[in-house]
mmCIF file of all heavy atoms in Angstrom:
data_model
loop_
_atom_site.group_PDB
_atom_site.id
_atom_site.type_symbol
_atom_site.label_atom_id
_atom_site.label_comp_id
_atom_site.label_asym_id
_atom_site.label_seq_id
_atom_site.Cartn_x
_atom_site.Cartn_y
_atom_site.Cartn_z
ATOM 1 N N LEU A 18 -0.756 2.728 -12.307
ATOM 2 C CA LEU A 18 -0.175 2.437 -10.999
ATOM 3 C C LEU A 18 0.563 1.103 -11.006
ATOM 4 O O LEU A 18 1.604 0.954 -10.350
ATOM 5 C CB LEU A 18 -1.250 2.459 -9.911
ATOM 6 C CG LEU A 18 -1.481 3.838 -9.270
ATOM 7 C CD1 LEU A 18 -2.086 4.825 -10.259
ATOM 8 C CD2 LEU A 18 -2.342 3.740 -8.024
ATOM 9 N N ASP A 19 0.049 0.144 -11.766
ATOM 10 C CA ASP A 19 0.712 -1.160 -11.850
ATOM 11 C C ASP A 19 2.090 -1.049 -12.500
ATOM 12 O O ASP A 19 3.061 -1.655 -12.026
ATOM 13 C CB ASP A 19 -0.157 -2.153 -12.629
ATOM 14 C CG ASP A 19 -1.360 -2.634 -11.842
ATOM 15 O OD1 ASP A 19 -1.322 -2.581 -10.595
ATOM 16 O OD2 ASP A 19 -2.348 -3.060 -12.478
ATOM 17 N N ILE A 20 2.202 -0.284 -13.594
ATOM 18 C CA ILE A 20 3.503 -0.167 -14.265
ATOM 19 C C ILE A 20 4.485 0.630 -13.414
ATOM 20 O O ILE A 20 5.678 0.306 -13.343
ATOM 21 C CB ILE A 20 3.364 0.442 -15.690
ATOM 22 C CG1 ILE A 20 4.697 0.351 -16.454
ATOM 23 C CG2 ILE A 20 2.881 1.874 -15.661
ATOM 24 C CD1 ILE A 20 5.198 -1.062 -16.714
ATOM 25 N N PHE A 21 3.995 1.654 -12.734
ATOM 26 C CA PHE A 21 4.881 2.416 -11.850
ATOM 27 C C PHE A 21 5.355 1.557 -10.679
ATOM 28 O O PHE A 21 6.495 1.675 -10.223
ATOM 29 C CB PHE A 21 4.183 3.671 -11.338
ATOM 30 C CG PHE A 21 4.198 4.826 -12.310
ATOM 31 C CD1 PHE A 21 3.085 5.633 -12.467
ATOM 32 C CD2 PHE A 21 5.329 5.117 -13.053
ATOM 33 C CE1 PHE A 21 3.086 6.706 -13.351
ATOM 34 C CE2 PHE A 21 5.346 6.188 -13.949
ATOM 35 C CZ PHE A 21 4.225 6.989 -14.096
ATOM 36 N N ASP A 22 4.483 0.694 -10.179
ATOM 37 C CA ASP A 22 4.870 -0.218 -9.104
ATOM 38 C C ASP A 22 6.006 -1.132 -9.567
ATOM 39 O O ASP A 22 7.010 -1.328 -8.860
ATOM 40 C CB ASP A 22 3.650 -1.045 -8.674
ATOM 41 C CG ASP A 22 3.892 -1.864 -7.423
ATOM 42 O OD1 ASP A 22 4.690 -2.822 -7.489
ATOM 43 O OD2 ASP A 22 3.289 -1.562 -6.374
ATOM 44 N N LYS A 23 5.861 -1.696 -10.763
ATOM 45 C CA LYS A 23 6.887 -2.590 -11.303
ATOM 46 C C LYS A 23 8.217 -1.870 -11.490
ATOM 47 O O LYS A 23 9.291 -2.376 -11.128
ATOM 48 C CB LYS A 23 6.422 -3.173 -12.637
ATOM 49 C CG LYS A 23 7.440 -4.124 -13.271
ATOM 50 C CD LYS A 23 7.032 -4.556 -14.658
ATOM 51 C CE LYS A 23 8.074 -5.507 -15.259
ATOM 52 N NZ LYS A 23 9.440 -4.916 -15.317
ATOM 53 N N LEU A 24 8.155 -0.665 -12.065
ATOM 54 C CA LEU A 24 9.387 0.077 -12.340
ATOM 55 C C LEU A 24 10.070 0.530 -11.052
ATOM 56 O O LEU A 24 11.307 0.531 -10.966
ATOM 57 C CB LEU A 24 9.082 1.275 -13.240
ATOM 58 C CG LEU A 24 8.746 0.917 -14.694
ATOM 59 C CD1 LEU A 24 8.150 2.108 -15.424
ATOM 60 C CD2 LEU A 24 9.983 0.400 -15.423
ATOM 61 N N ALA A 25 9.286 0.896 -10.048
ATOM 62 C CA ALA A 25 9.875 1.276 -8.764
ATOM 63 C C ALA A 25 10.671 0.115 -8.174
ATOM 64 O O ALA A 25 11.727 0.308 -7.567
ATOM 65 C CB ALA A 25 8.779 1.720 -7.796
ATOM 66 N N ARG A 26 10.180 -1.107 -8.374
ATOM 67 C CA ARG A 26 10.891 -2.292 -7.882
ATOM 68 C C ARG A 26 12.134 -2.581 -8.734
ATOM 69 O O ARG A 26 13.184 -2.975 -8.201
ATOM 70 C CB ARG A 26 9.947 -3.501 -7.863
ATOM 71 C CG ARG A 26 8.796 -3.326 -6.889
ATOM 72 C CD ARG A 26 7.832 -4.496 -6.870
ATOM 73 N NE ARG A 26 6.595 -4.102 -6.215
ATOM 74 C CZ ARG A 26 6.422 -4.038 -4.896
ATOM 75 N NH1 ARG A 26 7.423 -4.356 -4.096
ATOM 76 N NH2 ARG A 26 5.264 -3.653 -4.388
ATOM 77 N N ASP A 27 12.019 -2.376 -10.044
ATOM 78 C CA ASP A 27 13.186 -2.558 -10.918
ATOM 79 C C ASP A 27 14.329 -1.633 -10.513
ATOM 80 O O ASP A 27 15.502 -2.001 -10.646
ATOM 81 C CB ASP A 27 12.809 -2.276 -12.375
ATOM 82 C CG ASP A 27 11.988 -3.394 -13.008
ATOM 83 O OD1 ASP A 27 11.930 -4.494 -12.430
ATOM 84 O OD2 ASP A 27 11.390 -3.148 -14.082
ATOM 85 N N ALA A 28 13.997 -0.450 -10.033
ATOM 86 C CA ALA A 28 15.024 0.521 -9.651
ATOM 87 C C ALA A 28 15.958 -0.043 -8.594
ATOM 88 O O ALA A 28 17.161 0.233 -8.583
ATOM 89 C CB ALA A 28 14.364 1.803 -9.140
ATOM 90 N N TYR A 29 15.421 -0.865 -7.715
ATOM 91 C CA TYR A 29 16.218 -1.414 -6.616
ATOM 92 C C TYR A 29 16.719 -2.829 -6.915
ATOM 93 O O TYR A 29 17.860 -3.171 -6.597
ATOM 94 C CB TYR A 29 15.380 -1.432 -5.336
ATOM 95 C CG TYR A 29 16.159 -1.737 -4.073
ATOM 96 C CD1 TYR A 29 16.901 -0.747 -3.429
ATOM 97 C CD2 TYR A 29 16.160 -3.012 -3.523
ATOM 98 C CE1 TYR A 29 17.614 -1.021 -2.276
ATOM 99 C CE2 TYR A 29 16.864 -3.298 -2.368
ATOM 100 C CZ TYR A 29 17.590 -2.299 -1.744
ATOM 101 O OH TYR A 29 18.301 -2.567 -0.596
ATOM 102 N N PHE A 30 15.887 -3.647 -7.539
ATOM 103 C CA PHE A 30 16.180 -5.071 -7.636
ATOM 104 C C PHE A 30 16.721 -5.532 -8.989
ATOM 105 O O PHE A 30 17.285 -6.620 -9.082
ATOM 106 C CB PHE A 30 14.918 -5.890 -7.322
ATOM 107 C CG PHE A 30 14.454 -5.759 -5.905
ATOM 108 C CD1 PHE A 30 13.321 -5.011 -5.599
ATOM 109 C CD2 PHE A 30 15.144 -6.372 -4.871
ATOM 110 C CE1 PHE A 30 12.883 -4.890 -4.290
ATOM 111 C CE2 PHE A 30 14.717 -6.258 -3.560
ATOM 112 C CZ PHE A 30 13.585 -5.515 -3.265
ATOM 113 N N SER A 31 16.545 -4.757 -10.052
ATOM 114 C CA SER A 31 16.951 -5.226 -11.378
ATOM 115 C C SER A 31 18.469 -5.401 -11.476
ATOM 116 O O SER A 31 19.248 -4.605 -10.934
ATOM 117 C CB SER A 31 16.477 -4.247 -12.461
ATOM 118 O OG SER A 31 16.915 -4.683 -13.734
ATOM 119 N N ASN A 32 18.882 -6.447 -12.194
ATOM 120 C CA ASN A 32 20.312 -6.685 -12.452
ATOM 121 C C ASN A 32 20.748 -6.148 -13.813
ATOM 122 O O ASN A 32 21.926 -6.207 -14.159
ATOM 123 C CB ASN A 32 20.605 -8.195 -12.378
ATOM 124 C CG ASN A 32 20.413 -8.737 -10.979
ATOM 125 O OD1 ASN A 32 20.812 -8.104 -10.005
ATOM 126 N ND2 ASN A 32 19.807 -9.915 -10.870
ATOM 127 N N ASP A 33 19.790 -5.648 -14.577
ATOM 128 C CA ASP A 33 20.074 -5.070 -15.894
ATOM 129 C C ASP A 33 20.378 -3.589 -15.691
ATOM 130 O O ASP A 33 19.502 -2.805 -15.317
ATOM 131 C CB ASP A 33 18.853 -5.266 -16.798
ATOM 132 C CG ASP A 33 19.072 -4.748 -18.214
ATOM 133 O OD1 ASP A 33 19.724 -3.704 -18.375
ATOM 134 O OD2 ASP A 33 18.560 -5.386 -19.152
ATOM 135 N N SER A 34 21.606 -3.166 -15.912
ATOM 136 C CA SER A 34 22.046 -1.801 -15.582
ATOM 137 C C SER A 34 21.257 -0.736 -16.339
ATOM 138 O O SER A 34 20.914 0.311 -15.774
ATOM 139 C CB SER A 34 23.541 -1.631 -15.855
ATOM 140 O OG SER A 34 23.833 -1.914 -17.209
ATOM 141 N N LYS A 35 20.945 -1.007 -17.624
ATOM 142 C CA LYS A 35 20.197 -0.032 -18.419
ATOM 143 C C LYS A 35 18.763 0.091 -17.914
ATOM 144 O O LYS A 35 18.231 1.197 -17.730
ATOM 145 C CB LYS A 35 20.203 -0.446 -19.889
ATOM 146 C CG LYS A 35 19.666 0.624 -20.832
ATOM 147 C CD LYS A 35 19.868 0.218 -22.285
ATOM 148 C CE LYS A 35 19.342 1.302 -23.231
ATOM 149 N NZ LYS A 35 19.524 0.905 -24.653
ATOM 150 N N LYS A 36 18.134 -1.061 -17.668
ATOM 151 C CA LYS A 36 16.774 -1.071 -17.136
ATOM 152 C C LYS A 36 16.737 -0.425 -15.752
ATOM 153 O O LYS A 36 15.813 0.313 -15.415
ATOM 154 C CB LYS A 36 16.258 -2.509 -17.058
ATOM 155 C CG LYS A 36 14.827 -2.642 -16.579
ATOM 156 C CD LYS A 36 14.437 -4.090 -16.289
ATOM 157 C CE LYS A 36 14.273 -4.879 -17.563
ATOM 158 N NZ LYS A 36 13.756 -6.260 -17.295
ATOM 159 N N LYS A 37 17.747 -0.688 -14.958
ATOM 160 C CA LYS A 37 17.822 -0.167 -13.593
ATOM 161 C C LYS A 37 17.925 1.365 -13.596
ATOM 162 O O LYS A 37 17.234 2.042 -12.837
ATOM 163 C CB LYS A 37 19.030 -0.778 -12.881
ATOM 164 C CG LYS A 37 19.100 -0.515 -11.378
ATOM 165 C CD LYS A 37 20.327 -1.203 -10.796
ATOM 166 C CE LYS A 37 20.406 -1.030 -9.299
ATOM 167 N NZ LYS A 37 19.464 -1.892 -8.582
ATOM 168 N N GLU A 38 18.787 1.912 -14.472
ATOM 169 C CA GLU A 38 18.952 3.371 -14.522
ATOM 170 C C GLU A 38 17.647 4.057 -14.933
ATOM 171 O O GLU A 38 17.246 5.067 -14.338
ATOM 172 C CB GLU A 38 20.068 3.760 -15.494
ATOM 173 C CG GLU A 38 20.305 5.276 -15.506
ATOM 174 C CD GLU A 38 21.325 5.714 -16.540
ATOM 175 O OE1 GLU A 38 21.258 5.233 -17.702
ATOM 176 O OE2 GLU A 38 22.178 6.558 -16.189
ATOM 177 N N PHE A 39 16.983 3.489 -15.947
ATOM 178 C CA PHE A 39 15.714 4.085 -16.375
ATOM 179 C C PHE A 39 14.676 4.012 -15.257
ATOM 180 O O PHE A 39 13.948 4.971 -15.009
ATOM 181 C CB PHE A 39 15.184 3.373 -17.626
ATOM 182 C CG PHE A 39 13.829 3.871 -18.061
ATOM 183 C CD1 PHE A 39 13.676 5.146 -18.591
ATOM 184 C CD2 PHE A 39 12.694 3.076 -17.913
ATOM 185 C CE1 PHE A 39 12.421 5.620 -18.981
ATOM 186 C CE2 PHE A 39 11.445 3.534 -18.299
ATOM 187 C CZ PHE A 39 11.310 4.810 -18.831
ATOM 188 N N ALA A 40 14.614 2.882 -14.569
ATOM 189 C CA ALA A 40 13.652 2.726 -13.474
ATOM 190 C C ALA A 40 13.948 3.702 -12.340
ATOM 191 O O ALA A 40 13.031 4.240 -11.705
ATOM 192 C CB ALA A 40 13.673 1.288 -12.963
ATOM 193 N N GLN A 41 15.225 3.951 -12.084
ATOM 194 C CA GLN A 41 15.592 4.944 -11.066
ATOM 195 C C GLN A 41 15.138 6.342 -11.479
ATOM 196 O O GLN A 41 14.665 7.123 -10.643
ATOM 197 C CB GLN A 41 17.104 4.918 -10.836
ATOM 198 C CG GLN A 41 17.589 3.678 -10.112
ATOM 199 C CD GLN A 41 19.101 3.544 -10.120
ATOM 200 O OE1 GLN A 41 19.817 4.420 -10.625
ATOM 201 N NE2 GLN A 41 19.605 2.447 -9.576
ATOM 202 N N ASP A 42 15.267 6.649 -12.760
ATOM 203 C CA ASP A 42 14.785 7.943 -13.253
ATOM 204 C C ASP A 42 13.260 8.028 -13.144
ATOM 205 O O ASP A 42 12.702 9.107 -12.884
ATOM 206 C CB ASP A 42 15.229 8.169 -14.697
ATOM 207 C CG ASP A 42 16.719 8.482 -14.813
ATOM 208 O OD1 ASP A 42 17.378 8.633 -13.765
ATOM 209 O OD2 ASP A 42 17.228 8.549 -15.948
ATOM 210 N N ILE A 43 12.573 6.897 -13.318
ATOM 211 C CA ILE A 43 11.119 6.868 -13.128
ATOM 212 C C ILE A 43 10.777 7.177 -11.667
ATOM 213 O O ILE A 43 9.770 7.853 -11.389
ATOM 214 C CB ILE A 43 10.538 5.504 -13.558
ATOM 215 C CG1 ILE A 43 10.519 5.382 -15.083
ATOM 216 C CG2 ILE A 43 9.129 5.298 -12.993
ATOM 217 C CD1 ILE A 43 9.509 6.266 -15.796
ATOM 218 N N CYS A 44 11.594 6.708 -10.739
ATOM 219 C CA CYS A 44 11.379 7.070 -9.328
ATOM 220 C C CYS A 44 11.426 8.585 -9.159
ATOM 221 O O CYS A 44 10.616 9.165 -8.421
ATOM 222 C CB CYS A 44 12.422 6.406 -8.429
ATOM 223 S SG CYS A 44 12.201 4.630 -8.224
ATOM 224 N N TRP A 45 12.380 9.227 -9.844
ATOM 225 C CA TRP A 45 12.451 10.695 -9.810
ATOM 226 C C TRP A 45 11.158 11.294 -10.365
ATOM 227 O O TRP A 45 10.609 12.235 -9.794
ATOM 228 C CB TRP A 45 13.661 11.167 -10.616
ATOM 229 C CG TRP A 45 13.866 12.658 -10.624
ATOM 230 C CD1 TRP A 45 14.673 13.382 -9.793
ATOM 231 C CD2 TRP A 45 13.267 13.605 -11.518
ATOM 232 N NE1 TRP A 45 14.604 14.724 -10.097
ATOM 233 C CE2 TRP A 45 13.746 14.889 -11.157
ATOM 234 C CE3 TRP A 45 12.371 13.508 -12.577
ATOM 235 C CZ2 TRP A 45 13.359 16.053 -11.824
ATOM 236 C CZ3 TRP A 45 11.980 14.667 -13.237
ATOM 237 C CH2 TRP A 45 12.472 15.920 -12.865
ATOM 238 N N TYR A 46 10.671 10.736 -11.485
ATOM 239 C CA TYR A 46 9.422 11.223 -12.074
ATOM 240 C C TYR A 46 8.265 11.057 -11.089
ATOM 241 O O TYR A 46 7.413 11.945 -10.956
ATOM 242 C CB TYR A 46 9.120 10.475 -13.375
ATOM 243 C CG TYR A 46 7.855 10.953 -14.060
ATOM 244 C CD1 TYR A 46 7.892 12.010 -14.960
ATOM 245 C CD2 TYR A 46 6.618 10.373 -13.778
ATOM 246 C CE1 TYR A 46 6.736 12.479 -15.572
ATOM 247 C CE2 TYR A 46 5.451 10.827 -14.378
ATOM 248 C CZ TYR A 46 5.518 11.884 -15.272
ATOM 249 O OH TYR A 46 4.361 12.351 -15.859
ATOM 250 N N LEU A 47 8.224 9.948 -10.391
ATOM 251 C CA LEU A 47 7.156 9.726 -9.421
ATOM 252 C C LEU A 47 7.185 10.759 -8.300
ATOM 253 O O LEU A 47 6.150 11.120 -7.753
ATOM 254 C CB LEU A 47 7.259 8.309 -8.840
ATOM 255 C CG LEU A 47 6.746 7.190 -9.749
ATOM 256 C CD1 LEU A 47 7.201 5.831 -9.247
ATOM 257 C CD2 LEU A 47 5.227 7.241 -9.867
ATOM 258 N N VAL A 48 8.359 11.238 -7.960
ATOM 259 C CA VAL A 48 8.485 12.236 -6.899
ATOM 260 C C VAL A 48 7.923 13.591 -7.333
ATOM 261 O O VAL A 48 7.324 14.307 -6.529
ATOM 262 C CB VAL A 48 9.970 12.377 -6.475
ATOM 263 C CG1 VAL A 48 10.174 13.560 -5.535
ATOM 264 C CG2 VAL A 48 10.451 11.083 -5.817
ATOM 265 N N CYS A 49 8.075 13.933 -8.617
ATOM 266 C CA CYS A 49 7.708 15.302 -9.009
ATOM 267 C C CYS A 49 7.114 15.430 -10.413
ATOM 268 O O CYS A 49 6.924 16.551 -10.897
ATOM 269 C CB CYS A 49 8.930 16.223 -8.891
ATOM 270 S SG CYS A 49 10.333 15.708 -9.907
ATOM 271 N N GLY A 50 6.800 14.324 -11.067
ATOM 272 C CA GLY A 50 6.280 14.391 -12.435
ATOM 273 C C GLY A 50 4.842 14.862 -12.507
ATOM 274 O O GLY A 50 4.042 14.632 -11.595
ATOM 275 N N LYS A 51 4.491 15.494 -13.614
ATOM 276 C CA LYS A 51 3.164 16.103 -13.772
ATOM 277 C C LYS A 51 2.034 15.088 -13.680
ATOM 278 O O LYS A 51 0.942 15.404 -13.203
ATOM 279 C CB LYS A 51 3.083 16.832 -15.126
ATOM 280 C CG LYS A 51 3.988 18.042 -15.223
ATOM 281 C CD LYS A 51 3.906 18.690 -16.596
ATOM 282 C CE LYS A 51 4.864 19.864 -16.693
ATOM 283 N NZ LYS A 51 4.818 20.500 -18.030
ATOM 284 N N LYS A 52 2.268 13.900 -14.167
ATOM 285 C CA LYS A 52 1.218 12.873 -14.125
ATOM 286 C C LYS A 52 1.547 11.757 -13.134
ATOM 287 O O LYS A 52 1.023 10.656 -13.229
ATOM 288 C CB LYS A 52 0.985 12.306 -15.527
ATOM 289 C CG LYS A 52 0.414 13.332 -16.500
ATOM 290 C CD LYS A 52 0.187 12.728 -17.872
ATOM 291 C CE LYS A 52 -0.314 13.785 -18.862
ATOM 292 N NZ LYS A 52 -0.484 13.221 -20.225
ATOM 293 N N SER A 53 2.391 12.085 -12.177
ATOM 294 C CA SER A 53 2.693 11.103 -11.140
ATOM 295 C C SER A 53 1.501 10.961 -10.204
ATOM 296 O O SER A 53 1.030 11.950 -9.635
ATOM 297 C CB SER A 53 3.916 11.539 -10.327
ATOM 298 O OG SER A 53 3.980 10.811 -9.110
ATOM 299 N N PRO A 54 1.013 9.741 -9.972
ATOM 300 C CA PRO A 54 -0.139 9.559 -9.084
ATOM 301 C C PRO A 54 0.173 9.822 -7.614
ATOM 302 O O PRO A 54 -0.755 9.998 -6.816
ATOM 303 C CB PRO A 54 -0.529 8.092 -9.301
ATOM 304 C CG PRO A 54 0.699 7.437 -9.816
ATOM 305 C CD PRO A 54 1.432 8.481 -10.596
ATOM 306 N N ILE A 55 1.450 9.848 -7.250
ATOM 307 C CA ILE A 55 1.763 10.133 -5.847
ATOM 308 C C ILE A 55 2.240 11.574 -5.648
ATOM 309 O O ILE A 55 2.597 11.956 -4.533
ATOM 310 C CB ILE A 55 2.802 9.138 -5.283
ATOM 311 C CG1 ILE A 55 4.083 9.162 -6.104
ATOM 312 C CG2 ILE A 55 2.214 7.736 -5.217
ATOM 313 C CD1 ILE A 55 5.203 8.361 -5.481
ATOM 314 N N PHE A 56 2.213 12.361 -6.730
ATOM 315 C CA PHE A 56 2.536 13.792 -6.624
ATOM 316 C C PHE A 56 1.334 14.628 -7.026
ATOM 317 O O PHE A 56 0.795 15.390 -6.244
ATOM 318 C CB PHE A 56 3.766 14.110 -7.472
ATOM 319 C CG PHE A 56 4.145 15.565 -7.461
ATOM 320 C CD1 PHE A 56 4.484 16.195 -6.273
ATOM 321 C CD2 PHE A 56 4.163 16.302 -8.641
ATOM 322 C CE1 PHE A 56 4.832 17.543 -6.261
ATOM 323 C CE2 PHE A 56 4.517 17.639 -8.633
ATOM 324 C CZ PHE A 56 4.840 18.260 -7.435
ATOM 325 N N GLY A 57 0.912 14.515 -8.283
ATOM 326 C CA GLY A 57 -0.358 15.089 -8.704
ATOM 327 C C GLY A 57 -0.416 16.601 -8.778
ATOM 328 O O GLY A 57 -1.456 17.195 -8.501
ATOM 329 N N LYS A 58 0.696 17.237 -9.166
ATOM 330 C CA LYS A 58 0.714 18.691 -9.344
ATOM 331 C C LYS A 58 1.406 19.020 -10.660
ATOM 332 O O LYS A 58 2.127 18.196 -11.231
ATOM 333 C CB LYS A 58 1.450 19.380 -8.191
ATOM 334 C CG LYS A 58 0.849 19.145 -6.824
ATOM 335 C CD LYS A 58 1.677 19.845 -5.751
ATOM 336 C CE LYS A 58 1.176 19.537 -4.360
ATOM 337 N NZ LYS A 58 1.996 20.179 -3.310
#
């Protein structure tokens, strides 16, 4: 949960374009990923 929290913030606040894109994709994973703690299916 701690790493997902950090990456969710990077998606919005990071100035590194590569890091930002990956973090945005992690947000997608959090919405529907198999091991997402806020989805869980």
Side-chain angles (χ1 to χ4, degrees):
L18 271 67
D19 286 337
I20 189 63
F21 279 140
D22 189 292
K23 180 187 180 303
L24 288 167
R26 296 179 196 280
D27 285 346
Y29 191 80
F30 294 106
S31 178
N32 294 318
D33 182 322
S34 58
K35 190 173 181 181
K36 183 190 287 186
K37 190 179 183 76
E38 183 185 45
F39 176 69
Q41 289 169 3
D42 287 354
I43 286 290
C44 288
W45 182 95
Y46 181 88
L47 283 166
V48 171
C49 59
K51 293 178 182 179
K52 294 180 183 177
S53 163
I55 58 172
F56 178 61
K58 300 179 185 178

